Amino acid sequence: MEKKFYITTPIYYPSGKPHIGTAYTTILADVIFRYKKLIGFDSYFLTGLDEHGQKIEQKSKEEGFDSSQAYVDSMVPYFTDLWKKLDINYSQFIRTTNPKHIDTVQKVFSTMLKNDDIYLGEWKGLYCLGCEEPYNESEAIKKEDGCLYCRVGHKLSNRTESSYFFKMAKYTDWIKTYITSNPDFIYPIKITHEMLNNFVNKGLEDLSISRTTFSWGIPILENKKHVMYVWLDALFNYVSALGYLQPDDSLYQKFWNNDKSQIVHIVGKDIARFHTVFWPILLHSINLNLPSKVISHSFIMAEDGRKMSKSFGNVIDPEIICDKYGSDIFRYYLLKEFVLDSDNCFSEKRYVELFNSDLANIYGNIVSRTIGMLRLYNSGKVHLESNILTSEMEKMLKAKEALLPLIENEINNFNIKEVLTLVNNYAKDINQYIENSKPWEINKANDKEKINNFLFILTDAVRTMSILLSPVLVKGCALINQMMNFTSEMTQYSSINNINIIEGLKVNEASPIYLRIK
């Protein structure tokens, strides 16, 4: 049976254009999706927009739109156009205004109500409009002006309104047991400790899941004065997108209601609580499978170490940086440089250094040298004269043999940073192979068999490098494949150990893949 893999980003709130943090989350999910697909998983990748809520309703009025729907419709291209520019290869882009999603969420609410997990009451307390999240007074931050603020700096307001509540408190012991019994459920481990110490161990409070003070949301069928609170609406996109409770639920059966399927959510640490505590409880309450893993990454800070903010004027626009340097280095830099378990600073200086050192000097240079030698020494043809190989050639084949299980292990552990480190080291081995083999001396000695075998092993190494980098360097590897004249079969991971597949290949002319940035 083919292995199944389902990965999601959070669905983004379109109250503004996507930013570098949004781009990082989406690139990380995209690259994991591509790697899992590469090594043989039947994979599905979901991203999209969370389009309801009071903030959207207010924003649409401020921007002069006739309706909230018209506003969110206008915001969609900002995301889809950027994802195209960044080579994001999602399987589906969901919007929570989709009628099927609305129908699924209304059915879920009705089921929870019948199961006595939801009751009608009155919500009173502090509320953050910016985060669309209630706050306990103990969680609020009191500033010099005497006002209370949320953890990210939005001013809190006091509210009282009729609300439906989900009985979150009754599941406190269950979620505590689940998280502690499944240490791999949340990554990194420090997020596990934060969720337990800051929320679960203190005892969960019942969760307000409806609003009456605004109308832009999914109406509750049993009481249409109420619309769904954003988190109940938003979280169920992960199953509604697959057709849960719809006539065609084949994707749901394949990727969610399947014990052999891996289900992974990628989120920023600011919404980790909703995905690691609330979401598992909501699923458990209606007997649905839980995700296999929630990966929570940290924030991207400005080069001066401050949090990126429009008020500081230090926000990085991913579209501008991508247009300036290209999508490959944007993807590569974020995944090679950033770690998941601490905040990361974006440095344009380091960005350029990495482009020059890795993309131009190593990967691009290896391909140029390979094509140059093939055309100079053997009219561009690849041919293995015999199976008698030198120690350097054998060493190169063994390096690949040792590399592949390490790569697969890191992919399955979702450690893309280490995957790129391993490939980078392998690329350095390729350069060392060229230097140690001294092909210019072999050619000068007119040893045709030896030069052909050297070029054959070198071509196979370039093919291996291109296959292993293709989920990250999408454009560059496509250009490598075109210049090397690799067929689609040659670039499949399943053929990576079949060195004979390149016999008789004739390469095309070389052109620069990555030009050094001054």
Side-chain angles (χ1 to χ4, degrees), residues 303 329 333 336-337 345-358:
E303 202 162 352
I329 183 57
Y333 171 84
K336 180 85 184 306
E337 288 293 290
C345 288
F346 182 91
S347 166
E348 191 164 359
K349 181 182 177 183
R350 177 58 186 150
Y351 191 93
V352 172
E353 287 174 353
L354 197 67
F355 182 98
N356 288 335
S357 65
D358 289 14

Side-chain angles (χ1 to χ4, degrees), residues 406-422:
L406 297 177
I407 290 282
E408 289 188 31
N409 181 64
E410 298 301 343
I411 291 171
N412 288 325
N413 285 325
F414 311 107
N415 190 354
I416 305 304
K417 181 180 173 69
E418 185 58 27
V419 170
L420 293 179
T421 298
L422 288 168

Side-chain angles (χ1 to χ4, degrees), residues 206-239:
D206 289 350
L207 181 68
S208 171
I209 56 171
S210 77
R211 293 289 182 268
T212 58
T213 51
F214 62 92
S215 60
W216 181 240
I218 298 176
I220 291 172
L221 296 178
E222 291 81 359
N223 186 347
K224 293 188 178 179
K225 292 180 180 178
H226 290 252
V227 294
M228 304 265 185
Y229 172 55
V230 63
W231 285 107
L232 186 70
D233 170 5
L235 288 166
F236 274 92
N237 91 90
Y238 302 128
V239 292

Side-chain angles (χ1 to χ4, degrees), residues 366-376 380 480 483-484 507-511:
I366 286 172
V367 176
S368 296
R369 293 183 78 182
T370 301
I371 293 176
M373 286 187 287
L374 277 164
R375 294 176 70 84
L376 180 64
I480 289 171
M483 291 191 299
M484 294 296 298
V507 299
N508 297 314
E509 287 187 25
S511 59

Side-chain angles (χ1 to χ4, degrees), residues 28 61 101 103 131 145 149-150 154 157 186 188 247 256 259 263 274 284 304 307 359 402 404 409 417 469 517:
L28 179 60
K61 291 175 182 176
H101 170 77
D103 180 63
C131 300
D145 61 3
Y149 292 81
C150 77
H154 301 133
S157 61
I186 304 170
W256 196 282
D259 293 337
I263 303 165
F274 302 101
H284 176 68
D304 59 8
K307 190 177 186 298
L359 273 62
L404 298 183
N409 181 64
K417 181 180 173 69
L469 285 173
I517 301 169

Side-chain angles (χ1 to χ4, degrees), residues 29-150:
D30 176 70
V31 170
I32 292 173
F33 164 70
R34 288 174 182 266
Y35 269 120
K36 295 292 279 191
K37 196 172 181 181
L38 183 76
I39 64 173
F41 282 75
D42 182 2
S43 302
Y44 201 84
F45 171 26
L46 178 71
T47 190
L49 297 182
D50 171 14
E51 298 185 329
H52 291 126
Q54 186 175 11
K55 192 159 57 171
I56 293 294
E57 189 174 77
Q58 287 187 355
K59 188 76 172 178
S60 63
K61 291 175 182 176
E62 290 169 8
E63 298 287 332
F65 283 86
D66 293 337
S67 66
S68 296
Q69 184 66 57
Y71 170 76
V72 293
D73 288 346
S74 76
M75 293 301 295
V76 170
Y78 287 113
F79 291 83
T80 54
D81 290 353
L82 179 61
W83 298 161
K84 185 176 181 181
K85 187 168 287 190
L86 293 176
D87 298 306
I88 304 299
N89 187 34
Y90 54 80
S91 308
Q92 185 184 157
F93 187 92
I94 187 172
R95 300 175 59 187
T96 55
T97 50
N98 181 288
K100 290 182 180 178
H101 170 77
I102 292 171
D103 180 63
T104 293
V105 172
Q106 287 175 326
K107 288 175 178 175
V108 166
F109 184 95
S110 296
T111 299
M112 291 176 172
L113 191 62
K114 289 175 184 174
N115 291 347
D116 196 31
D117 269 336
I118 289 176
Y119 63 91
L120 183 61
E122 184 178 76
W123 183 81
K124 183 177 181 179
L126 295 169
Y127 185 74
C128 176
L129 177 60
C131 300
E132 298 219 53
E133 182 182 351
Y135 268 79
N136 294 324
E137 193 160 345
S138 61
E139 297 176 293
I141 300 166
K142 191 170 186 178
K143 294 193 176 181
E144 293 177 358
D145 61 3
C147 297
L148 297 174
Y149 292 81
C150 77

Side-chain angles (χ1 to χ4, degrees), residues 183-192 265 267 272 276 293-297 339-341 413-415:
D184 294 331
F185 173 56
I186 304 170
Y187 183 85
I189 190 65
K190 77 172 193 176
I191 299 296
T192 302
H265 298 312
V267 301
T276 61
K293 185 180 284 288
V294 178
I295 299 174
S296 172
H297 67 76
V339 294
L340 294 173
D341 57 359
N413 285 325
F414 311 107
N415 190 354

Side-chain angles (χ1 to χ4, degrees), residues 322-340:
C322 181
D323 286 343
K324 189 174 180 181
Y325 299 108
S327 59
D328 275 6
I329 183 57
F330 192 79
R331 294 164 66 91
Y332 187 83
Y333 171 84
L334 294 178
L335 298 176
K336 180 85 184 306
E337 288 293 290
F338 286 9
V339 294
L340 294 173

